[in-house]
Amino acid sequence: MGQRVPEHFEQSDVRRAAEGDHAAFERLYREHVGRIHALCTRMVGSDVADDLTQEVFIRAWRKLDGFKGQSKFGTWLHRLAVNHVLSRRETIRRRESKQAFGEGILSRVVAPPRRSSGHALDLDRAVRRLPERARDVFVLFDVEGYSHDEIAEALGVSVGTSKSQLHRARMLMREQLD
Amino acid sequence: MRTRLLSIGLLGIVTFPLPAQTNPRAEHAEHPGASFTTMLGARHMSTMVDTLVELRPGDRVVLENLTGQISVGSWDRNELEIRGADDGVPIMVRRSGSTVRVVRDDRKGRRHALDARIRMPASHDLRVSGSLDLWIEGLSGSIDVDNVSGDIWIADADGQVSVRTIEGEIDVVRSRGGVTASSQSDDVRLRDVRGPVDAHSGSGDVQLMEIVSARVRAETQDGDITFSGTIDDGGDYGFFVHDGDAEVAIPADANARVEVSTFDGEFISDFPVVLQRFTGGREFAFTVGAPRARITIQVFDGEIHLQRR
Amino acid sequence: MTYKDNEHPEWTDRLSDFLDGGLDPETHAAFEAHLGECGSCRGVLEGLDEVRRRAAALGPIEPTRDLWAGIAATIRAPAAGAAEGATVIALPTAERARPDIGSRRSHRVSLSSMQLVAASLVLVVGSSLATLTLRSQSPTSTPPVAATGSEGVIMPAGTAAPPPADLALELSSLEQALAEARGVLDPNTVRILERNLSVIEQAIEDSHRALMQDPENAFLAEHLDRVYHRKLEYLREAARVVESAD
């Protein structure tokens, strides 16, 4: 993406989009799609990130009239995305389990961890290897900057669990990146 | 029969036989329709609960707004017994007419957990509400559960069973009076059930096994439905799935008209299929044997499998 | 959990707290003292800090294809979509795992509308196992997903599905009551309620989209209506939870 859109332009686009202006919503989409797509990719995987990203923006469009402007649009959108990803993951997991004998899953299961010779693994690839709960906390805390309180609420765990999963994630990441 | 009431023990050591005036029978006789309240346990300390309340024929037992883990079983005495451990918030037993309520004084703070075993006469009706892991076994009265979060397991119920939970699994086995069960988040499993069945899960599977019923309805928004049971002549069987599969196993000699609808899916049948109605790309009907019962299977997105039992 | 180089788990297990400033001053000082004399823990700390810094520097990931077309088609008003003759591009439906049917003979029959009509609406499959594939056969029967695969699905779908008139008022007031009660419920309950609601809303969205494609389909109309009733029942149940929390 290019330069960030000044905030007052964004506010104007949010207002217009809430009134049904598709072009304004497209500008908001262009501005934020990278971050939302990154969240979906890191939390659920690249194979369904496109679908989830689209669902997030469709959902955002439908909920825009409920956006009161108490936070920045990007913050609101991002929280909506986190909730959507968490709620949709169950369905995705169920579908994946139905396809458990599919080639895609098998290859994912049996493929040995690939390490590039002499180089640290790509950080995003390492994130994908984390256990799910540790990955959630790591992405939300270290990448996205949420607090433990916010993460605990979103994931339905205690703050202590959020902290211990973060530490677990960092330790595992450190081992992978060594 | 001598009426004892409500004995409690702090840490199970001290018991207090209650004075005669708290006898619910006596109080009720003096003030028809009035309620009585007896407090159990003590504030601010962990207590063992050991309570006995006499019940009269036709009394309904209500466990109201409780949290924790509770098991309910039956015995051959006309008394309600509550034994277990709480965390210091008093339990109150209140009678109002023929309803005996077990409640906790949680109004000023967060919910407190109770870990208790309850015994009551099998024939009395039971109603439970709260946020509980709940086991109920061997009752012949009706059972009505409204839960928020927690797993529910009900066995050997002869009366009508109605159970709802927002989050938590529901298991009902060996029930003879029909079952209505709904979990918004988790699986609902019924096995060896007779009588009308209405089972729903918001985002879990619905498994109905060994069902003998003329009226079955199962629905899930995000999960699979499995049914295995008899098909009564004149019966009505409906299976509704939004995103998931439906596997319906019926006897080889069943007699039913089968109506199938799907938006995007596949239909697999162990039975020969003679289409009698076709109303679009994905709706049709056919008959297995003679059209004496009706089987409706609607799956928005998923597979439908009609199997021989 | 066993970690590599974890010589002093009593220290290393709290190194993340130390890094994030989550320790009380006394413990923080004790950590600093320990780190001053323990190279192993210092090494772990540096590794964790490196992970943390690299994670914070992770940037956006742009999708490899333009997702806007699928979004735009879905949010476009139905009238506009119809007037412009919005293109419907069917994408391959995700393959489902088929149940194991063992040694039974399987006969799968794909039925399109035309085939069935040609068969005078009567089809006999005289085998022990019949399979009818009822998947999309025509341009109007696109799988019920907003977008999958690489082409992007364009749906002639409208905005949020309007609830049936007889439910609208109660739905709206229950939704409002639930929104207002958010503050009095514990976060975990809120999370559960919202997650369940999102499953129902997804079902409504799917059904609505399908119905937009095939407005005459009685099954889809009934299905959407059923999901709405389910939403109403759910909101009533949620209201009960709110009441009990008061």
Side-chain angles (χ1 to χ4, degrees):
Chain A
M1 294 300 296
Q3 234 178 338
R4 286 198 64 81
V5 175
E7 202 173 312
H8 62 279
F9 283 143
E10 180 162 290
Q11 285 167 359
S12 162
D13 278 342
V14 170
R15 200 170 50 249
R16 287 169 182 223
E19 289 164 0
D21 184 335
H22 295 127
F25 191 61
E26 182 176 358
R27 286 192 292 274
L28 294 170
Y29 161 81
R30 302 272 171 220
E31 174 64 18
H32 294 281
V33 63
R35 192 168 170 221
I36 299 302
H37 192 260
L39 177 82
C40 296
T41 303
R42 289 178 184 130
M43 288 186 72
V44 189
S46 55
D47 44 350
V48 289
D50 286 1
D51 288 359
L52 281 175
T53 301
Q54 285 183 313
E55 289 170 13
V56 166
F57 278 97
I58 290 166
R59 195 161 282 262
W61 167 263
R62 290 175 179 167
K63 289 179 177 286
L64 258 179
D65 54 356
F67 173 58
K68 306 291 183 211
Q70 286 161 342
S71 59
K72 287 184 180 176
F73 172 75
T75 308
W76 175 80
L77 177 69
H78 202 269
R79 279 165 199 260
L80 186 145
V82 170
N83 289 334
H84 187 68
V85 165
L86 292 173
S87 70
R88 288 283 285 148
R89 194 158 57 187
E90 277 303 311
T91 309
I92 291 163
R93 189 180 294 127
R94 193 185 299 279
R95 285 200 168 129
E96 282 185 344
S97 72
K98 283 181 184 171
Q99 299 169 347
F101 296 102
E103 193 181 337
I105 296 293
L106 272 185
S107 61
R108 202 181 304 166
V109 172
V110 300
R114 285 181 297 167
R115 305 192 68 147
S116 47
S117 52
H119 293 94
L121 273 175
D122 170 67
L123 195 69
D124 266 321
R125 200 185 298 165
V127 171
R128 288 294 304 149
R129 294 222 174 106
L130 288 173
E132 184 174 279
R133 186 47 58 85
R135 183 173 69 235
D136 286 347
V137 177
F138 181 77
V139 169
L140 294 176
F141 190 96
D142 272 350
V143 182
E144 302 293 348
Y146 285 90
S147 70
H148 282 299
D149 284 342
E150 291 169 317
I151 293 167
E153 180 179 341
L155 300 180
V157 299
S158 67
V159 169
T161 300
S162 178
K163 286 182 175 178
S164 64
Q165 290 290 356
L166 175 67
H167 182 64
R168 180 184 180 208
R170 284 176 177 167
M171 291 294 273
L172 292 170
M173 291 288 286
R174 170 180 161 270
E175 290 176 13
Q176 287 201 64
L177 298 171
D178 256 357
Chain B
M1 177 179 178
R2 189 173 74 88
T3 305
R4 311 164 303 281
L5 195 45
L6 318 179
S7 58
I8 48 170
L10 291 181
L11 301 173
I13 298 169
V14 186
T15 57
F16 303 103
L18 292 180
Q21 58 267 32
T22 58
N23 177 338
R25 188 191 295 278
E27 177 135 340
H28 182 68
E30 286 175 27
H31 308 286
S35 66
F36 74 87
T37 299
T38 307
M39 295 183 72
L40 305 170
R43 281 186 185 279
H44 312 308
M45 51 200 318
S46 175
T47 58
M48 298 301 289
V49 180
D50 185 354
T51 303
L52 208 56
V53 180
E54 183 171 326
L55 296 178
R56 300 193 302 256
D59 276 350
R60 185 172 71 135
V61 175
V62 177
L63 311 178
E64 194 166 274
N65 217 6
L66 301 179
T67 58
Q69 299 181 41
I70 291 182
S71 69
V72 181
S74 63
W75 62 355
D76 55 6
R77 295 162 61 169
N78 289 326
E79 288 158 327
L80 171 70
E81 182 196 55
I82 308 170
R83 296 175 69 114
D86 69 18
D87 51 7
V89 175
I91 285 180
M92 329 231 286
V93 180
R94 295 173 175 153
R95 170 181 287 282
S96 177
S98 61
T99 299
V100 174
R101 283 196 167 77
V102 179
V103 299
R104 307 194 73 198
D105 186 15
D106 284 348
R107 286 164 299 178
K108 291 180 183 168
R110 57 193 292 272
R111 298 276 182 77
H112 291 74
L114 175 71
D115 187 350
R117 191 193 70 186
I118 290 174
R119 287 191 285 185
M120 58 183 277
S123 61
H124 289 246
D125 293 345
L126 173 69
R127 176 171 165 70
V128 185
S129 67
S131 201
L132 289 161
D133 283 333
L134 186 65
W135 295 262
I136 302 175
E137 193 166 9
L139 298 189
S140 56
S142 69
I143 297 170
D144 187 356
V145 179
D146 259 348
N147 202 32
V148 175
S149 180
D151 294 338
I152 297 161
W153 186 84
I154 297 172
D156 301 308
D158 284 347
Q160 190 176 353
V161 172
S162 174
V163 49
R164 292 186 294 175
T165 187
I166 300 280
E167 185 180 52
E169 298 184 354
I170 297 173
D171 282 281
V172 181
V173 296
R174 298 184 300 277
S175 172
R176 296 292 172 261
V179 177
T180 299
S182 169
S183 171
Q184 295 295 344
S185 316
D186 291 290
D187 295 350
V188 174
R189 291 179 291 264
L190 275 52
R191 186 168 58 79
D192 190 3
V193 167
R194 291 183 190 175
V197 167
D198 189 341
H200 162 257
S201 174
S203 49
D205 296 339
V206 175
Q207 293 176 16
L208 310 177
M209 309 304 287
E210 301 173 46
I211 306 296
V212 179
S213 173
R215 171 78 175 84
V216 173
R217 191 181 195 286
E219 181 179 344
T220 173
Q221 270 72 55
D222 188 6
D224 299 335
I225 287 178
T226 313
F227 170 84
S228 175
T230 58
I231 299 295
D232 282 12
D233 287 353
D236 192 0
Y237 305 82
F239 306 97
F240 306 93
V241 183
H242 178 75
D243 185 0
D245 302 335
E247 284 193 15
V248 177
I250 61 175
D253 58 356
N255 291 299
R257 176 180 162 85
V258 183
E259 297 181 358
V260 175
S261 308
T262 177
F263 179 70
D264 184 36
E266 194 167 74
F267 174 70
I268 304 168
S269 172
D270 290 356
F271 294 87
V273 174
V274 179
L275 289 190
Q276 293 162 331
R277 178 176 68 87
F278 176 70
T279 55
R282 288 143 274 162
E283 279 192 88
F284 61 91
F286 63 96
T287 298
V288 173
R292 292 181 190 146
R294 184 174 70 169
I295 299 174
T296 307
I297 310 174
Q298 299 190 352
V299 173
F300 181 84
D301 182 12
E303 283 183 355
I304 299 165
H305 194 176
L306 185 67
Q307 297 172 306
R308 279 198 179 91
R309 281 181 72 201
Chain C
M1 190 81 208
T2 305
Y3 305 109
K4 211 166 74 173
D5 307 330
N6 199 6
E7 285 180 19
H8 303 121
E10 71 278 19
W11 296 102
T12 48
D13 283 354
R14 302 193 66 189
L15 281 174
S16 280
D17 276 349
F18 176 79
L19 267 179
D20 299 329
L23 297 177
D24 61 71
E26 198 178 322
T27 315
H28 191 93
F31 258 80
E32 282 183 332
H34 175 75
L35 289 167
E37 56 197 33
C38 178
S40 165
C41 285
R42 232 174 15 249
V44 175
L45 181 72
E46 283 164 10
L48 294 179
D49 195 31
E50 169 75 4
V51 167
R52 190 179 69 145
R53 282 188 293 104
R54 287 181 63 180
L58 280 174
I61 302 174
E62 299 297 329
T64 52
R65 64 189 178 95
D66 187 10
L67 306 178
W68 174 249
I71 297 167
T74 305
I75 66 175
R76 194 173 297 146
E84 293 163 19
T87 315
V88 177
I89 303 167
L91 289 172
T93 308
E95 275 301 308
R96 290 176 166 276
R98 304 213 190 300
D100 181 9
I101 52 173
S103 58
R104 287 170 165 168
R105 283 192 305 145
S106 167
H107 291 256
R108 290 174 186 277
V109 182
S110 290
L111 301 179
S112 70
S113 311
M114 292 311 291
Q115 285 170 322
L116 280 161
V117 170
S120 302
L121 308 186
V122 177
L123 174 76
V124 181
V125 183
S127 72
S128 61
L129 181 71
T131 301
L132 310 183
T133 298
L134 303 164
R135 201 155 281 149
S136 316
Q137 299 288 341
S138 70
T140 55
S141 51
T142 310
V145 287
T148 53
S150 58
E151 297 297 319
V153 164
I154 316 290
M155 295 275 184
T159 51
D166 57 327
L167 308 184
L169 193 61
E170 188 179 356
L171 278 171
S172 156
S173 68
L174 283 168
E175 278 175 324
Q176 192 175 341
L178 193 58
E180 285 166 4
R182 208 175 184 279
V184 305
L185 296 171
D186 77 74
N188 200 35
T189 304
V190 171
R191 181 186 63 86
I192 293 166
L193 291 175
E194 290 183 346
R195 191 184 63 197
N196 293 334
L197 196 55
S198 77
V199 170
I200 299 174
E201 284 180 344
Q202 186 67 46
I204 289 174
E205 203 170 306
D206 294 345
S207 314
H208 180 61
R209 254 191 236 133
L211 194 58
M212 294 301 293
Q213 291 174 41
D214 192 0
E216 302 304 315
N217 190 318
F219 156 61
L220 292 176
E222 185 189 331
H223 184 76
L224 179 60
D225 191 62
R226 183 168 46 246
V227 182
Y228 262 118
H229 276 88
R230 192 49 78 182
K231 179 177 177 179
L232 181 63
E233 282 173 34
Y234 178 69
L235 288 173
R236 285 173 180 161
E237 232 178 298
R240 175 176 59 82
V241 173
V242 171
E243 267 175 37
S244 71
D246 279 345

